[in-house]
Amino acid sequence: MTGYLELAASAVLYALGIVAQSIASRRAEGGVGGLGLLARLARDRLYLLGFAGQVGGFALAFLARAELPLYLVQAGSSCAVGLATLFGIAVLGWRVRAIEVVVLVVMAAGLVLLVAAATPSAAHDVPQGLGIVLFGLPVVALVLVQRRVGGVVPLAAAAGLAFAVVAMTSRTLADEPLPTLPLYPLAWLMIVAALVGQSYLALALRRGSATSTVATMDATTVVLTSIVGIAALGDRISPGREWWVALGVALVVSGVLLLGYADRFTKAPAEVAR
């Protein structure tokens, strides 16, 4: 039960972080991108507040991965984009449309299916050397091609790939004693992947709305982690409910993508807040 509570609290913190980071990123002045943009945003208190929400959300999701499969944890975290929309409606005065209500219901239905199908389990141990190679290659590639990536969708998808690496490495480490984590090379790779993901996310948020950007990023992360988690990391499903997971993941991913698509036709959240 603890893992489910950690996952719920994680989604709330992620949602608050999405709203704060999007507003701060879009009001940043033009100029250098990538890690340079992160350095400039580090002086913005609102961005730091959003980053703190992301860190808190990650810490709780990390703890949840010790007993919950990736397909559930990442789907639950991706629902933060829906919570961010609800927060914007309630606090910032964003307008709600019928399609957004439908999408939020679809996402909630998908999450219910995943909760019902999930079986708590510890992840398979991945040898540190093999893990560094398999999980490190995508991170190195993302660093090398960052200057060549343009457009909101490719940037958001790249952020999703980086955060998928974060999720997969943390799934293998989450059941280890916290004081020993600095001794694992995969833990340091996890931190590097998180920074790379943040840099791509900051770039994407400058060029697109928070909802559509995070929707693309989360859809990428959910699909990748669900496949790898079940195929290689020991994520388990209740017997006879495999199709529940397939349908649940499909509903959550469809929901976040539809929410992002619908957001393209209205003012972006950060633009409303300015």
Side-chain angles (χ1 to χ4, degrees):
M1 186 64 182
T2 301
Y4 292 98
L5 294 176
E6 290 166 345
L7 179 57
S10 169
V12 172
L13 288 179
Y14 273 136
L16 295 176
I18 289 169
V19 175
Q21 283 186 312
S22 67
I23 296 173
S25 294
R26 291 181 66 86
R27 74 185 185 186
E29 296 179 359
V32 66
L35 295 177
L37 174 60
L38 279 182
R40 184 163 62 246
L41 287 173
R43 299 190 293 270
D44 188 314
R45 292 183 179 179
L46 182 60
Y47 184 84
L48 291 178
L49 178 63
F51 183 73
Q54 295 284 306
V55 171
F58 168 77
L60 289 170
F62 179 88
L63 296 175
R65 292 186 190 105
E67 60 178 279
L68 298 180
L70 280 177
Y71 61 79
L72 175 58
V73 176
Q74 296 312 125
S77 297
S78 73
C79 288
V81 69
L83 291 178
T85 300
L86 293 177
F87 177 79
I89 293 168
V91 179
L92 300 179
W94 298 352
R95 290 180 297 175
V96 62
R97 295 158 294 162
I99 188 173
E100 290 173 327
V101 175
V102 172
V103 166
L104 293 176
V105 171
V106 168
M107 292 170 63
L111 193 58
V112 168
L113 284 174
L114 293 175
V115 170
T119 297
S121 61
H124 293 326
D125 289 331
V126 176
Q128 294 292 304
L130 179 62
I132 287 293
V133 173
L134 294 180
F135 297 136
L137 286 176
V139 176
V140 172
L142 288 173
V143 172
L144 294 177
V145 305
Q146 186 175 70
R147 293 183 179 274
R148 298 185 178 92
V149 178
V152 175
V153 172
L155 287 169
L161 173 58
F163 286 123
V165 173
V166 173
M168 290 183 289
T169 52
S170 64
R171 172 71 168 139
T172 67
L173 296 169
D175 60 344
E176 303 293 341
L178 292 179
T180 67
L181 289 181
L183 302 178
Y184 292 91
L186 278 179
W188 295 102
L189 176 61
M190 179 180 67
I191 294 173
V192 172
L195 290 175
V196 172
Q198 282 291 331
S199 67
Y200 271 101
L201 177 59
L203 285 171
L205 287 173
R206 285 186 64 189
R207 304 182 187 186
S209 72
T211 307
S212 59
T213 296
V214 176
T216 302
M217 179 186 74
D218 281 347
T220 303
T221 302
V222 170
V223 171
L224 290 176
T225 55
S226 297
I227 294 173
V228 175
I230 294 172
L233 297 181
D235 287 357
R236 297 170 57 192
I237 304 172
S238 297
R241 296 185 176 180
E242 291 80 7
W243 71 270
W244 291 30
V245 172
L247 180 58
V249 170
L251 288 174
V252 171
V253 170
S254 298
V256 294
L257 289 177
L258 285 172
L259 194 61
Y261 179 78
D263 185 69
R264 293 172 58 188
F265 298 96
T266 61
K267 289 183 178 180
E271 292 174 336
V272 174
R274 278 195 297 195

